[in-house]
Amino acid sequence: MHTTISEGANPKSVHGSFSFQNLLCHLFESNLAPSTVPEHFAISSRQLTMLRGVAEYAHSGEDSLPLSNMTPELAARTRGTLFHERMHYWQLISSPVHQLAFTIDLEKLRANVKRIGGRSHLIGGQLTGDIVLTEHELHEFTTSNEAHFLPTEFTDNMVVDVTPVAIDPRTAMAHLMLPHGSGVTKRLPAYGALMEFENQKTVVRVPFTARPLLESAAYLSELLYQEYDLPHPQRLDSDDDRIYLGTWEFWRRLHGERYATDFELGLSFLAAVDLAMLSDVTDDDIRGSARHLEVFSIPYRFGALALGARSIPPLSCGNLDPSLAVAQFQRNLCSYLGWASPDLTARKAAVFLTTVLLKMFNSAIPVTAENRELAMWLLNSRQVKAAADEQRLRRIWELLAIATKSSMPLISQSVLGTMLNASVYRVHNPGKFAVPHLYWSELTESFPLPIVYLGGEYYLDGLPPLNVCQDPYPCEPVELLHDCISLVAIEPLLRDKSSCGFVDSHVKCWYVSHGLGCPQEELLAASRNLREATGLHDWCHWTHRSLTLGIASYEVRDNWNRRWHSRDVISHMFHGGPRETLQLIDKFSSSRDEFEVTLKSMETISNIGERLEYYAEKAAQLCYRGHITSNASLLRASLKLCEKALETDQESRSLLTLKAILHYALGEPQDSQIAMERVLLMCTSQQMQDIVMRRMEALFKTRFNPNFVGIFKDWFEIS
Amino acid sequence: MNEETIREEATKYFNMDEAELYALLVPEHVRQTLFTKDGVVLRGREIFYTTFAKVRETICRQYATAPQITSHAIDLVVIISDALASSPNLVGIPVLPMAALIVKIGLEELCKDAHNHK
């Protein structure tokens, strides 16, 4: 028996949303009534103790909250909705299209943090340090992404040509030119569906953009997961019907006759959507090639896939495991269309993400000839070549695992690491991400949602014990959860706003849900009293991130410093590890006075010989961050630290480069040149020497001006 | 907006069905995230009830003390939207769709528990 659309859309008490930008899975009840929404909170003594515990962490600059594990009851109650959101998460982390879009969003965050005077280098991304894309570049990238992703309808004036594909009921594929980017004349070649229904007067139009494709696939997979029959819609009236069923209905009309069962027809549709999103977009070599459109225009790509699938044998499971049947179908389709195989594309995505992570953690990788050779191999090889050498990639992944543990955590590193794991998983488990309703158990165990928010609590997805995929990147679920909270909190920066993302999206964060109110809004007396009583003051997700990124208002920063900073920074310096110390230094050293205190403390600690190189580098990083570069005594103090560190590691290129910079900054060009010549002698190739020389020339032509920072940073990374 | 424009807008929203109005409460950037089917409307419903809880006392008190304030629906939408616009708790919420929903659902229904608690 076939279920109708309305029967298929089973009534749920819990619905959900998933954001590709911050990975928040937000579940919400649909049976709300005024009386179910509390106006006031009664706090028990147990809750008060718990809030005081949260405040203890806050005093050390941490946003640490009690997390809940999913219970079997909750998992059962939210079953279908959770599966739907998990599927979106798997679509995001395993698709090169989304991986690239995510890194572009990160660049936008970094650029906007820098624009308002914050510490952009604390957000990971394709670029590193404080180098950011220009406003124009970001605008072009983001508007282009939106053109592929967002449109859910098209108008007559966008139709270039129409190809009939079925007669009863009448169905056609429209060749479209969708608005693209900011230019008036710029258009995105695309395809879409035109469908007539017996019971509907209007022709239904659905473009093959990412959103209708992803939603259709998630909805279909959700129905199969819940063991419903697949829908055969009799009409598609509402926007939701078109978005969730439009592309599936087109596929069904185009290919239905060739399939004996809905099961295999459904799998073929899911395989095609997965393949549409498994595009080679991260490979720059493809730009300008004949395959350009099929790679970079998702709605064009799906149209080509839909027509191409008519010329290859239908997907057939036979005696095969369904994932292998899906993988075979995808390979056949790619081969027919002359596209890169799914395996190669996933491998190239892994190379892209490895490159991004390597740039992020370059400075924490031990400097040896072998490591340098590995890094240069990755950066200089064509993607296709690097993708073929998993053995060498594994050596780089081992280095990354060490580097990420010893360096300061960057916002997004866990997400990017999980994307890398998903790409590698895809290589070794072909087909599974396309049809997750058949492999939901192992996918949920390996890639649980980072955060599930329901009724004021944050849940870790999956039933304990959690056994998430850590190959090749080690990533703990709690770290990923905090990464997501950071991304939610700072998300308005994507829209050039510096408010809290929880507030902007009308999502009550944990603090608000626990009666503490929102410091970004007017606090009720009860919330204010509770904050005072627990010692949480103005602490929240946003306060933490805005202090860390250096974008908090003067008042917030000043209050924080007076309340907690001085005591804890010094305490961490002597009792905590370098990672914690660096976190605090970065959070608070935003004025010259604070820097002087910090530097003196660092000098003290350096005398006890702990991680000299680390602190010296940090000192220099702080020096070139603008406002203190002309302070000779601070530069001298940094130089002293640097030279002390060089006593224990005379061959450190980064330290020698740093020494050259500091001498130069102090007006000692000869000493600077001597240090740089030593760096040049350590370059093993002519190419490396040329790069360093060019950087050097650029630097020596530059006096202290804003360019100094960028040039130094470039130079530092290369060397 | 002048008086006439506000009334035109209020009429436009009052003539929409409840599902459309709930969806309008969801910020544009949130609407672009991926929802389960029918999720946008239900998310809007959640925003409506959590937001209404913040202003319920004020709105219901005004209604309770002056139930005869007006029987004309559009006038009521305009009056309530004025009250909502001055509330610091409604930052980022479009007040006319919110007010139209309050009137369509009915103040009596929404304030039922508030009255019982008095």
Side-chain angles (χ1 to χ4, degrees):
Chain A
M1 189 195 82
H2 291 299
T3 46
T4 64
I5 298 171
S6 56
E7 283 165 347
N10 58 319
K12 294 173 184 167
S13 63
V14 176
H15 281 256
S17 67
F18 177 79
S19 165
F20 274 16
Q21 289 172 322
N22 57 46
L23 283 68
L24 177 71
C25 167
H26 179 197
L27 303 186
F28 42 90
E29 307 273 357
S30 57
N31 54 353
L32 283 176
S35 56
T36 63
V37 181
E39 288 167 72
H40 302 293
F41 292 87
I43 301 289
S44 67
S45 58
R46 193 166 152 264
Q47 285 169 312
L48 200 61
T49 310
M50 181 263 290
L51 292 176
R52 286 196 173 120
V54 173
E56 275 300 305
Y57 282 104
H59 291 190
S60 313
E62 289 180 43
D63 181 25
S64 186
L65 303 172
L67 302 173
S68 307
N69 277 315
M70 194 68 71
T71 62
E73 290 75 21
L74 185 61
R77 189 160 68 89
T78 56
R79 194 169 176 263
T81 306
L82 257 186
F83 176 82
H84 188 103
E85 307 312 343
R86 282 176 187 149
M87 176 147 183
H88 283 320
Y89 175 55
W90 298 328
Q91 288 169 334
L92 165 79
I93 57 173
S94 72
S95 156
V97 176
H98 291 306
Q99 291 164 353
L100 183 66
F102 182 77
T103 60
I104 289 167
D105 277 350
L106 291 178
E107 291 311 324
K108 188 152 193 191
L109 288 174
R110 286 160 42 77
N112 278 340
V113 166
K114 186 176 179 186
R115 185 176 53 80
I116 55 179
R119 305 177 184 114
S120 54
H121 64 284
L122 295 181
I123 302 175
Q126 288 194 51
L127 299 174
T128 51
D130 57 2
I131 305 164
V132 296
L133 293 174
T134 65
E135 217 165 289
H136 175 71
E137 286 167 329
L138 283 167
H139 182 72
E140 288 299 307
F141 277 133
T142 46
T143 50
S144 176
N145 268 344
E146 284 167 5
H148 291 265
F149 192 85
L150 291 180
T152 56
E153 51 195 20
F154 59 86
T155 53
D156 282 345
N157 62 352
M158 297 175 197
V159 178
V160 178
D161 191 17
V162 173
T163 311
V165 293
I167 297 167
D168 186 23
R170 290 204 330 155
T171 307
M173 194 160 99
H175 184 194
L176 309 169
M177 285 291 175
L178 298 176
H180 185 207
S182 53
V184 181
T185 55
K186 229 173 148 188
R187 290 287 180 267
L188 176 72
Y191 287 111
L194 293 165
M195 293 179 283
E196 286 185 2
F197 288 85
E198 199 181 316
N199 304 322
Q200 197 171 343
K201 281 183 187 164
T202 51
V203 175
V204 172
R205 301 147 184 259
V206 191
F208 299 149
T209 44
R211 196 164 159 220
L213 290 176
L214 296 173
E215 288 293 18
S216 260
Y219 184 58
L220 215 69
S221 195
E222 180 193 337
L223 292 180
L224 291 167
Y225 168 73
Q226 306 215 75
E227 298 179 356
Y228 285 96
D229 288 343
L230 291 181
H232 289 194
Q234 300 304 307
R235 50 193 301 135
L236 295 176
D237 287 320
S238 69
D239 286 349
D240 267 12
D241 284 344
R242 280 190 306 101
I243 293 170
Y244 290 81
L245 287 163
T247 50
W248 155 245
E249 175 59 9
F250 175 79
W251 187 270
R252 200 181 66 79
R253 291 181 181 193
L254 191 60
H255 298 287
E257 282 182 1
R258 304 176 66 224
Y259 283 85
T261 66
D262 259 11
F263 175 73
E264 284 172 338
L265 176 64
L267 292 192
S268 71
F269 172 71
L270 293 172
V273 174
D274 182 62
L275 195 51
M277 305 313 292
L278 188 58
S279 178
D280 236 357
V281 285
T282 59
D283 190 348
D284 274 343
D285 285 354
I286 289 166
R287 285 179 202 284
S289 76
R291 290 196 290 123
H292 180 89
L293 269 182
E294 291 158 1
V295 171
F296 290 101
S297 168
I298 298 306
Y300 187 92
R301 183 175 169 87
F302 185 79
L305 275 170
L307 290 183
R310 293 205 294 192
S311 303
I312 63 163
L315 186 149
S316 170
C317 289
N319 295 325
L320 283 176
D321 181 278
S323 67
L324 297 179
V326 165
Q328 181 66 47
F329 178 75
Q330 289 183 330
R331 270 197 305 274
N332 289 349
L333 202 41
C334 286
S335 170
Y336 173 76
L337 293 164
W339 296 355
S341 71
D343 174 76
L344 179 59
T345 305
R347 284 178 191 277
K348 285 160 87 174
V351 169
F352 166 71
L353 291 162
T354 306
T355 309
V356 171
L357 286 163
L358 183 72
K359 284 181 186 169
M360 280 163 62
F361 296 107
N362 184 29
S363 61
I365 290 178
V367 183
T368 66
E370 190 191 16
N371 292 348
R372 187 180 55 198
E373 189 219 338
L374 269 176
M376 293 314 288
W377 167 78
L378 182 70
L379 298 174
N380 292 333
S381 298
R382 289 182 62 221
Q383 252 192 353
V384 67
K385 190 181 162 201
D389 195 344
E390 186 170 330
Q391 206 180 351
R392 226 190 277 203
L393 283 171
R394 287 226 168 258
R395 283 162 57 200
I396 295 178
W397 293 335
E398 281 163 19
L399 288 178
L400 278 176
I402 297 166
T404 50
K405 289 292 169 201
S406 63
S407 62
M408 190 164 53
L410 303 180
I411 292 175
S412 82
Q413 73 175 59
S414 296
V415 180
L416 292 166
T418 305
M419 286 175 168
L420 172 61
N421 293 347
S423 295
V424 173
Y425 183 91
R426 196 187 254 284
V427 170
H428 299 293
N429 298 271
K432 288 186 179 172
F433 274 123
V435 286
H437 56 282
L438 299 173
Y439 305 96
W440 63 271
S441 177
E442 64 177 274
L443 285 173
T444 304
E445 183 173 286
S446 300
F447 299 101
L449 281 161
I451 175 171
V452 178
Y453 178 68
L454 172 66
E457 299 293 339
Y458 301 144
Y459 293 91
L460 289 169
D461 186 20
L463 297 172
L466 300 174
N467 185 24
V468 302
C469 176
Q470 309 243 14
D471 176 42
Y473 186 89
C475 178
E476 292 301 326
V478 174
E479 288 172 4
L480 185 58
L481 179 140
H482 281 284
D483 224 2
C484 293
I485 291 179
S486 297
L487 290 168
V488 176
I490 64 174
E491 198 236 353
L493 286 164
L494 288 173
R495 300 184 298 281
D496 304 333
K497 290 171 75 181
S498 54
S499 48
C500 172
F502 284 94
V503 178
D504 248 29
S505 303
H506 304 308
V507 176
K508 289 201 289 183
C509 73
W510 186 92
Y511 293 91
V512 177
S513 299
H514 286 78
L516 293 157
C518 174
Q520 319 311 316
E521 296 180 324
E522 197 181 359
L523 283 177
L524 295 173
S527 300
R528 205 166 35 244
N529 293 341
L530 188 57
R531 282 181 169 276
E532 291 305 316
T534 53
L536 270 163
H537 302 279
D538 60 356
W539 196 245
C540 67
H541 298 317
W542 170 247
T543 305
H544 173 261
R545 272 72 188 183
S546 63
L547 278 168
T548 305
L549 291 172
I551 54 176
S553 67
Y554 174 78
E555 192 189 354
V556 169
R557 201 156 42 84
D558 191 46
N559 283 340
W560 161 261
N561 283 338
R562 276 194 281 112
R563 212 181 292 133
W564 295 323
H565 161 231
S566 53
R567 189 191 71 197
D568 286 302
V569 164
I570 302 302
S571 155
H572 263 77
M573 290 206 145
F574 287 99
H575 303 297
R579 193 173 188 213
E580 289 79 10
T581 312
L582 289 182
Q583 265 178 286
L584 282 165
I585 292 168
D586 247 311
K587 196 173 293 172
F588 307 117
S589 303
S590 51
S591 74
R592 182 180 296 185
D593 291 345
E594 290 163 21
F595 178 78
E596 281 189 33
V597 172
T598 310
L599 197 65
K600 277 184 187 135
S601 309
M602 282 164 53
E603 205 173 359
T604 313
I605 204 166
S606 75
N607 289 332
I608 58 172
E610 187 185 339
R611 300 297 302 269
L612 288 173
E613 181 182 344
Y614 215 51
Y615 292 119
E617 281 191 25
K618 194 67 209 167
Q621 283 178 16
L622 291 167
C623 279
Y624 73 72
R625 207 171 291 150
H627 52 267
I628 44 157
T629 46
S630 58
N631 186 323
S633 64
L634 294 180
L635 290 169
R636 186 67 66 193
S638 295
L639 182 61
K640 209 169 130 193
L641 279 172
C642 179
E643 285 171 338
K644 209 168 178 58
L646 271 167
E647 285 172 15
T648 54
D649 184 4
Q650 294 176 5
E651 297 301 306
S652 164
R653 286 191 325 278
S654 60
L655 280 173
L656 279 169
T657 311
L658 173 60
K659 183 172 153 65
I661 296 293
L662 290 168
H663 275 304
Y664 182 76
L666 282 160
E668 297 159 355
Q670 280 184 334
D671 291 331
S672 177
Q673 201 160 345
I674 291 167
M676 274 323 296
E677 278 166 5
R678 282 180 64 194
V679 177
L680 282 175
L681 285 173
M682 292 161 78
C683 294
T684 49
S685 69
Q686 186 59 45
Q687 189 193 11
M688 251 329 263
Q689 283 198 4
D690 290 346
I691 292 169
V692 173
M693 281 303 289
R694 276 204 301 276
R695 300 284 182 202
M696 225 164 107
E697 279 169 24
L699 176 69
F700 289 158
K701 278 179 195 160
T702 315
R703 283 282 160 199
F704 288 115
N705 64 33
N707 290 337
F708 177 79
V709 176
I711 290 166
F712 177 24
K713 190 63 195 162
D714 275 356
W715 189 17
F716 202 72
E717 273 164 14
I718 288 292
S719 63
Chain B
M1 278 197 286
N2 62 33
E3 184 69 27
E4 199 179 331
T5 321
I6 291 174
R7 283 189 63 80
E8 275 173 23
E9 287 282 293
T11 309
K12 181 182 88 182
Y13 289 120
F14 187 75
N15 289 333
M16 286 183 177
D17 67 33
E18 285 184 25
E20 282 177 291
L21 289 167
Y22 282 131
L24 284 177
L25 299 186
V26 182
E28 178 64 29
H29 71 274
V30 179
R31 254 180 278 164
Q32 291 172 1
T33 61
L34 299 164
F35 281 87
T36 46
K37 198 165 182 295
D38 306 319
V40 178
V41 172
L42 292 163
R43 177 78 178 94
R45 197 160 178 266
E46 188 195 45
I47 291 174
F48 174 78
Y49 280 115
T50 48
T51 307
F52 185 74
K54 295 180 188 171
V55 293
R56 182 158 72 153
E57 209 174 307
T58 316
I59 298 287
C60 292
R61 192 177 58 236
Q62 285 177 4
Y63 170 72
T65 53
Q68 73 290 2
I69 187 165
T70 176
S71 58
H72 192 278
I74 303 301
D75 288 344
L76 203 51
V77 172
V78 174
I79 289 167
I80 291 174
S81 72
D82 283 344
L84 296 178
S86 58
S87 168
N89 293 316
L90 263 78
V91 176
I93 300 281
V95 291
L96 274 168
M98 178 85 191
L101 270 167
I102 292 172
V103 174
K104 283 174 91 88
I105 297 167
L107 278 166
E108 196 172 344
E109 170 68 23
L110 289 167
C111 297
K112 203 160 48 186
D113 294 327
H115 294 159
N116 291 343
H117 291 159
K118 281 184 185 299

